[in-house]
């Protein structure tokens, strides 16, 4: 067992990180460490394991045995409780300059364990321009024992001045068979269910596990894949668009409600809530700030849920194109092979439909009203 066991299909990345962790250990003893740097950028498509790789690397840097996976330090890093590792997850649509400046100040403190002070910044691409400038200054001149681990889908998602100062770690989409093997070995999923979930998740390990274990998630995905068959007219197309948006909102609400309740309860307790549920005077501001952060996070989760639905929809037309062209490629939605064979149409029309889905994703990223963007996409899918 090592800290890298949860990295699926990332052999070259594991070798790169193991070598860097060894260099980091040498740097601590003054015996060299030329392969160690203080800023790293982990990139890869959604589900490839960017944050998993960064967390494993953090554990390896803090472990006396460079990532054994069973010592107290490794367990603390992997569980998120290590005092020298700060994990940053932007809750809303963006991460602001005020938050970044506070983070930079905390990152400058000395490590309690005498090895490294590590900041693991998930979704660093959500930093605003001002936040990126504040982050750049910290990365240019970091304290001797501070290491920044930034995660983003692509190097191009960060400003060139930041990415040029980071060592790049590039992850790939793991193959479906590797994801299925993890579900079987680690989570005890039946092989047939694991294989279907791995194909449907298109390399996203976390989503594959959810599809394999959550009936609601499978039902929502089936409803998305039924959309092409519902586009029989303008009215049904508009109805299908509305259903997609509402399903994304319901998924986001389901995922966020429990977390919101836990955070609110913890804050109220920390602020001194009485046995009768009364709050001390002067605490309304802190509760309002938490509520605002939760609303921003819910908005982000709605966008993410809708984007996942659009990718599922794109997988349907991708499979249709594969069958129209007679390509010998495995179908993502193999259970719908009969339906796809009878769908008809031309490859050109299918490509136009795929372009409409990608355009809808771009519009959503540009903050276009979700319902309007999805309605426009549905009309384009109907006409081809």
């Amino acid at each position: 067992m090592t800290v890298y066991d949860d990295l699926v299909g990332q052999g070259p990345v594991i070798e790169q990180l193991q070598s860097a962790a060894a260099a980091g250990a040498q740097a601590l003893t003054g015996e060299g460490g030329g392969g160690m740097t203080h800023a790293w950028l982990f990139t890869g498509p959604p589900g490839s394991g960017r944050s998993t790789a960064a967390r494993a690397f953090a554990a390896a840097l803090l472990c006396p045995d460079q990532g054994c996976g069973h010592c107290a330090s490794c367990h603390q890093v992997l569980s998120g409780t290590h005092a020298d590792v700060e994990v940053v997850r932007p809750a809303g649509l963006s991460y602001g300059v005020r938050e970044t400046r506070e983070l930079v100040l905390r990152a400058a403190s000395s490590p309690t364990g005498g090895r490294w002070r590590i900041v693991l910044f998930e979704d660093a691409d959500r930093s605003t321009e001002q936040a990126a400038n504040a982050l750049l200054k910290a990365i240019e001149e970091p304290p001797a024992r501070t290491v920044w681990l930034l995660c983003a889908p692509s190097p191009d998602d960060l400003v060139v001045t930041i990415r040029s100062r980071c060592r790049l770690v590039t992850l790939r989409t793991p193959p479906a068979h590797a994801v299925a093997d993890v579900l079987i070995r680690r989570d005890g999923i039946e092989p047939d269910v694991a294989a279907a979930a791995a194909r449907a998740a298109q390399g996203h390990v976390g989503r594959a596990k959810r599809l394999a274990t959550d009936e609601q998630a499978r039902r929502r995905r089936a409803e998305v894949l039924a959309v092409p068959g519902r586009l029989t007219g303008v009215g049904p197309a508009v109805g299908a668009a509305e259903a997609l948006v509402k399903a994304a909102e319901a998924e986001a609400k389901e995922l966020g409600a429990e977390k919101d309740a836990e955070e609110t309860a913890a804050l109220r307790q920390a602020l001194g809530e009485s046995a009768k549920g009364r709050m001390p005077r002067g605490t309304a501001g802190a509760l309002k700030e938490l509520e605002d952060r939760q609303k921003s996070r819910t908005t982000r989760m709605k966008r993410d849920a809708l984007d996942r639905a659009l990718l599922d929809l794109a997988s349907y037309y991708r499979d249709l194109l594969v069958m129209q062209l007679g390509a010998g490629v495995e179908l993502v939605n193999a259970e719908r092979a009969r339906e796809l064979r009878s769908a008809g149409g031309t490859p050109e029309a299918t490509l136009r439909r795929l372009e409409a889905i990608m355009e809808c994703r771009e519009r959503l990223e540009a903050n276009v009203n979700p319902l309007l963007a999805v309605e426009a996409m549905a009309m384009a899918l109907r006409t081809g």
Side-chain angles (χ1 to χ4, degrees):
M1 176 183 176
T2 72
V3 294
Y4 302 107
D5 286 353
D6 285 339
L7 276 179
V8 182
Q10 307 292 348
V13 166
I14 292 174
E15 292 178 4
Q16 178 185 4
L17 296 180
Q18 287 174 329
S19 176
Q26 291 178 345
L28 289 173
T29 60
E31 298 177 359
M36 180 60 186
T37 186
H38 289 268
W40 297 76
L41 175 56
F42 292 77
T43 67
S48 58
R50 298 187 300 263
S51 60
T52 301
R55 192 183 293 272
F57 184 45
L61 288 174
L62 295 174
C63 173
D65 294 321
Q66 301 166 34
C68 65
H70 52 75
C71 68
S73 177
C74 286
H75 282 302
Q76 289 169 0
V77 175
L78 297 179
S79 64
T81 60
H82 199 291
D84 288 330
V85 180
E86 177 158 2
V87 180
V88 181
R89 298 185 182 92
L93 298 175
S94 62
Y95 194 76
V97 64
R98 179 177 64 84
E99 298 163 302
T100 303
R101 286 172 178 162
E102 293 172 354
L103 174 64
V104 169
L105 286 175
R106 295 195 300 273
S109 61
S110 299
T112 60
R115 295 181 70 84
W116 304 100
R117 172 75 171 160
I118 299 174
V119 181
L120 198 172
F121 197 159
E122 298 182 2
D123 298 320
D125 52 302
R126 294 185 185 174
S127 299
T128 64
E129 183 178 353
Q130 294 85 353
N133 290 333
L135 185 60
L136 172 63
K137 294 178 182 178
I139 290 177
E140 282 181 325
E141 300 177 2
R145 293 292 180 89
T146 298
V147 180
W148 290 85
L149 309 179
L150 311 181
C151 303
S154 164
D156 294 336
D157 291 321
L158 294 182
V159 296
V160 64
T161 47
I162 288 181
R163 66 175 184 259
S164 65
R165 288 163 173 79
C166 296
R167 181 162 298 175
L168 187 62
V169 179
T170 304
L171 291 91
R172 64 174 185 143
T173 299
H177 67 82
V179 175
D181 180 64
V182 168
L183 295 180
I184 296 168
R185 174 173 45 83
R186 184 189 66 189
D187 303 309
I189 307 298
E190 290 295 323
D192 290 346
V193 175
R199 288 196 308 271
Q202 300 179 65
H204 194 304
V205 181
R207 181 151 167 75
K209 181 179 178 180
R210 189 154 181 242
L211 287 171
T213 58
D214 188 341
E215 179 62 33
Q216 283 282 82
R218 292 196 294 271
R219 180 186 58 77
R220 279 193 291 264
R221 187 173 188 277
E223 290 174 354
V224 171
L225 296 178
V227 166
R230 297 175 56 188
L231 304 177
T232 55
V234 174
V238 172
E242 183 180 9
L244 269 179
V245 175
K246 286 185 175 180
E249 292 176 348
E251 181 179 354
K253 184 177 180 180
E254 177 186 327
L255 293 174
E258 183 177 350
K259 189 171 186 178
D260 289 352
E262 290 176 354
E263 289 177 346
T264 302
L267 180 60
R268 291 177 72 91
Q269 183 179 9
L271 293 175
E273 182 181 23
S274 70
K276 295 183 178 180
R278 295 174 181 172
M279 296 298 299
R281 299 178 68 178
T283 59
L287 289 170
K288 180 65 167 60
E289 184 179 350
L290 175 61
E291 183 181 347
D292 290 341
R293 289 202 306 269
Q294 290 173 341
K295 286 181 179 178
S296 181
R297 180 175 64 202
T298 298
T299 300
R300 181 74 251 177
M301 291 174 71
K302 288 178 182 177
R303 297 276 178 85
D304 291 345
L306 186 52
D307 190 63
R308 284 193 295 271
L310 294 178
L311 289 174
D312 286 335
L313 188 58
S315 74
Y316 179 95
Y317 289 108
R318 175 263 189 198
D319 285 349
L320 178 58
L321 186 63
V322 165
M323 300 196 76
Q324 288 171 335
L325 296 176
V329 180
E330 184 180 29
L331 299 180
V332 173
N333 305 289
E335 70 281 0
R336 292 181 176 263
R338 181 179 299 179
E339 174 186 334
L340 290 164
R341 274 192 290 269
S342 61
T346 65
E348 292 78 11
T350 302
L351 281 172
R352 287 194 294 271
R353 291 184 169 103
L354 282 167
E355 289 170 357
I357 296 172
M358 296 303 112
E359 184 177 359
C360 181
R361 295 181 69 208
E362 292 174 2
R363 288 173 174 171
L364 291 172
E365 195 62 33
N367 292 326
V368 173
N369 180 282
L371 183 57
L372 293 178
V374 177
E375 283 179 349
M377 178 199 71
M379 298 303 292
L381 295 179
R382 186 182 73 86
T383 58

